[in-house]
Amino acid sequence: MAINAPTGFNDMLPDQALFWNDFQATAARVFGRYGYVTIQTPIMEQTDLFVRGIGEATDVVSKEMFSAFSGANLETLLGGGTVKAKNRMSLRPEGTAGVVRAVVQHDLVPQGAAPAKLMYAGPMFRAERVQKGRLRQFHQVGVECLGAEAPTVDAEAIIMLMRFFAEVGIPADAMTLLINSMGCESCRPAYRDAVKAYMDEHASQLCETCLTRAEVNPLRAFDCKNEDCAAVMDGAPRITDHLCPDCKAHYAQVKELLDGAGVTYVEDSKLVRGLDYYTRTVFEVQVDNGLGSQNAIGGGGRYDKLAAEVGGRNTPGLGFALGYERCLLALQAAGVEMPKAGSCDLFVSVVESAGQAPAFALVQQVRDAGFSAEMDHQGRSVKSQFKLANKLGARFIVTLGPDELAAGQATLRNMETHEEVTIPFDQIASCL
């Protein structure tokens, strides 16, 4: 029986892998304009990092993490023993917690220092129901800014995110930017209590998951996909009516800065994002077509308490992540053509076996000059070699027959214009 990739773990075939590389390069270029530099953290961290950072009550931690054990530790667990916290590991379900852990561990933001502006790209893992736009191994690009709490950082990140989407080709009229404020430790507890009281009054209309959330983190009920729960939560108290003066001023300035930059947004008081570490500004970008119900392509917010949660000093932070696979679906829905892998600048065709060695030398010469070149390695006929050249998308073709070999020059054919020029072998690269 053939062995296939596990459900929700997709192969990234050459065309898609090429676009993933271009996607990361575009992110590095756009985010680099704002001072962001690359960091790479492990794909596996101590489980406690995600429990403490993301929140034990979140679906990500309670239901979706892939945990890993060595053979010896698994044997200990199966035997009824316990495994030390440092040996309990999980594949990362998101990128923020790992980056903040690295900032704390390596003291990348000493007291009084400029903020650390970091970006990352790579695979994330969640054990969830597979559907369009939602995989168990997916890829994200994200940024984190640690060490600055001014609303200018919030607005800058949102503007940068929208600039990136524009640069990769997602049409502006296909996207909706949602923003909200989730308050802070001064105003959110009272708001949480108000939401819980409202949910208790409507308990008979809520699903079991939301009833559990009411006891642990009532704000998570705003994320429920159950239509009946969503209808109930439409009438719940709004966080923007409960903000303290500082949070209200912060939120107002973020909106003012976005208005000044010409960024269009929609205020959504039900937007809470899915992770417990967010404070104050939260935002999400959704698309109209291509993703079905999972229509968010990126989002994030401020998390001023996360560094302290993972053992560091109180360090304000803000970040966002965007999903590569979801962006790809959005681009396809918009009719954007993806680049093709395996493009070829020159194909060298050979008429008879005597031309194999000269063709091989010519191919190496062209590659050394910085161009891509290919030749036949399977003894095909000249007609079949031309078919192969077309399949590879060759821009130029050279055919080496007895006359060309004797003269030391060949006809270079432009496959787009069909123009031909006869040129010595050692000058072919200069004409590509």
Side-chain angles (χ1 to χ4, degrees):
M1 185 178 76
I3 299 176
N4 295 325
T7 301
F9 293 78
N10 290 354
D11 296 308
M12 194 179 282
L13 298 178
D15 287 351
Q16 197 176 21
L18 173 64
F19 186 65
W20 168 236
N21 290 338
D22 290 346
F23 195 82
Q24 295 176 81
T26 301
R29 184 173 65 253
V30 173
F31 302 159
R33 298 171 193 157
Y34 295 77
Y36 284 82
V37 295
T38 300
I39 187 172
Q40 292 290 348
T41 60
I43 64 169
M44 187 179 291
E45 300 268 8
Q46 290 186 36
T47 301
D48 280 356
L49 171 66
F50 304 118
V51 173
R52 293 168 60 185
I54 298 174
E56 194 165 6
T58 62
D59 288 349
V60 172
V61 169
S62 63
K63 300 177 182 179
E64 298 170 359
M65 282 204 304
F66 284 102
S67 293
F69 299 93
S70 67
N73 286 332
L74 181 59
E75 192 173 317
T76 297
L77 283 174
L78 294 176
T82 58
V83 176
K84 294 179 180 179
K86 69 177 183 179
N87 292 327
R88 294 197 297 269
M89 312 293 287
S90 292
L91 294 174
R92 61 186 184 193
E94 54 91 56
T96 299
V99 172
V100 173
R101 187 268 311 149
V103 168
V104 170
Q105 180 177 339
H106 302 287
D107 196 21
L108 297 184
V109 188
Q111 286 186 325
K117 287 184 165 184
L118 305 168
M119 67 161 289
Y120 61 86
M124 310 292 162
F125 305 86
R126 296 187 187 181
E128 55 187 355
R129 185 168 65 88
V130 177
Q131 53 188 298
K132 189 174 185 179
R134 177 166 284 186
L135 301 172
R136 291 176 177 170
Q137 177 180 322
F138 54 100
H139 297 77
Q140 286 187 340
V141 172
V143 304
E144 314 295 344
C145 178
L146 279 297
E149 59 184 349
T152 48
V153 171
D154 307 35
E156 178 182 85
I158 294 171
I159 293 168
M160 183 171 70
L161 176 61
M162 301 310 290
R163 297 287 190 269
F164 170 80
F165 285 142
E167 193 137 338
V168 295
I170 301 177
D173 59 2
M175 298 184 288
T176 301
L177 168 64
L178 306 177
I179 67 170
N180 190 26
S181 175
M182 292 184 64
C184 66
E185 60 184 3
S186 296
C187 54
R188 192 157 60 181
Y191 172 65
R192 188 186 293 115
D193 291 342
V195 174
K196 183 182 185 309
Y198 174 84
M199 293 176 68
D200 288 344
E201 292 175 7
H202 297 81
S204 62
Q205 301 168 263
L206 298 173
C207 69
E208 289 298 322
T209 301
C210 281
L211 292 177
T212 300
R213 286 168 171 164
E215 302 301 322
V216 182
N217 184 355
L219 304 190
R220 293 287 290 111
F222 286 110
D223 267 348
C224 186
K225 300 301 184 286
N226 182 299
E227 292 183 2
D228 293 335
C229 294
V232 171
M233 296 309 293
D234 275 340
R238 299 290 187 252
I239 179 64
T240 45
D241 296 330
H242 293 75
L243 296 177
C244 65
D246 286 347
C247 286
K248 189 174 294 185
H250 186 102
Y251 186 44
Q253 191 168 352
V254 171
K255 291 187 290 182
E256 182 180 339
L257 291 165
L258 294 179
D259 290 338
V263 174
T264 302
Y265 57 85
V266 174
E267 293 186 72
D268 183 356
S269 59
K270 295 186 295 180
L271 179 65
V272 297
R273 302 289 296 158
L275 309 177
D276 283 356
Y277 51 60
Y278 287 118
T279 57
R280 290 193 170 175
T281 308
V282 289
F283 51 93
E284 185 171 284
V285 180
Q286 298 179 353
V287 293
D288 300 327
N289 298 310
L291 289 173
S293 62
Q294 302 299 329
N295 63 341
I297 57 174
R302 179 163 287 283
Y303 48 82
D304 291 339
K305 302 300 176 184
L306 183 54
E309 284 289 340
V310 300
R313 295 185 300 271
N314 279 327
T315 306
L318 179 133
F320 65 71
L322 51 98
Y324 163 70
E325 285 83 3
R326 293 191 182 189
C327 287
L328 186 60
L329 290 172
L331 286 164
Q332 290 170 344
V336 177
E337 189 172 339
M338 298 294 105
K340 296 293 184 182
S343 62
C344 178
D345 293 314
L346 176 71
F347 188 92
V348 180
S349 172
V350 178
V351 174
E352 54 187 34
S353 58
Q356 284 291 109
F360 187 83
L362 178 56
V363 165
Q364 307 314 313
Q365 173 189 320
V366 170
R367 288 168 177 166
D368 289 343
F371 298 96
S372 60
E374 271 295 352
M375 62 178 290
D376 171 49
H377 297 282
Q378 296 171 297
R380 290 180 171 91
S381 66
V382 173
K383 182 178 180 179
S384 295
Q385 289 180 59
F386 271 70
K387 288 182 179 179
L388 175 59
N390 285 327
K391 185 176 180 181
L392 294 173
R395 295 193 301 118
F396 293 89
I397 289 182
V398 160
T399 299
L400 300 187
D403 293 342
E404 288 79 10
L405 294 175
Q409 58 183 13
T411 299
L412 179 68
R413 180 180 176 85
N414 185 313
M415 296 301 289
E416 182 177 353
T417 66
H418 305 297
E419 294 178 355
E420 295 182 347
V421 58
T422 301
I423 190 168
F425 293 165
D426 60 2
Q427 296 179 26
I428 287 177
S430 63
C431 294
L432 299 181

